[in-house]
Amino acid sequence: MIKTVKFTNFKSLSSDTITLGNFNVLIGANAAGKSNFVDALKFVKDINDTSLYSAIGNRLGWENTLRRGLALNTPISAEISYDFKKKPS
């Protein structure tokens, strides 16, 4: 089960760690980053399933994947921690 996720410099996500439980609901104002959070998870999946270049291409280039206002050489990072012992209920 995924315990925490942290995305840095991906679209509107700056560097927040989000703790997940057995059941999670995304709630927030318009333009709060809900869809970008889901897309960040899909981005990691796309990299795993295809390649980094394909995942970036699916988002219409690096400039549309990277957090706005940052230099194009700024890295994006993803940290996902798992609890392999705990089974979802």
Side-chain angles (χ1 to χ4, degrees):
M1 184 170 98
I2 297 175
K3 286 175 47 177
T4 62
V5 293
K6 177 181 180 181
F7 297 104
T8 304
N9 299 329
F10 182 89
K11 295 189 176 182
S12 66
L13 307 177
S14 58
S15 185
D16 298 319
T17 300
I18 299 165
T19 303
L20 300 173
N22 291 336
F23 181 78
N24 303 281
V25 179
L26 294 176
I27 299 172
N30 291 341
K34 301 177 298 292
S35 296
N36 288 340
F37 175 75
V38 172
D39 191 36
L41 293 172
K42 289 179 183 177
F43 183 65
V44 172
K45 180 186 180 308
D46 289 350
I47 292 169
N48 186 57
D49 290 349
T50 59
S51 70
L52 173 62
Y53 297 107
S54 179
I56 291 169
N58 289 343
R59 282 147 191 89
L60 305 177
W62 187 249
E63 57 279 349
N64 292 315
T65 307
L66 183 65
R67 186 172 166 84
R68 288 187 181 170
L70 297 178
L72 289 178
N73 63 349
T74 304
I76 289 175
S77 67
E79 297 175 34
I80 301 174
S81 66
Y82 298 90
D83 183 353
F84 291 107
K85 297 176 188 174
K86 187 174 181 179
K87 294 182 180 179
S89 26

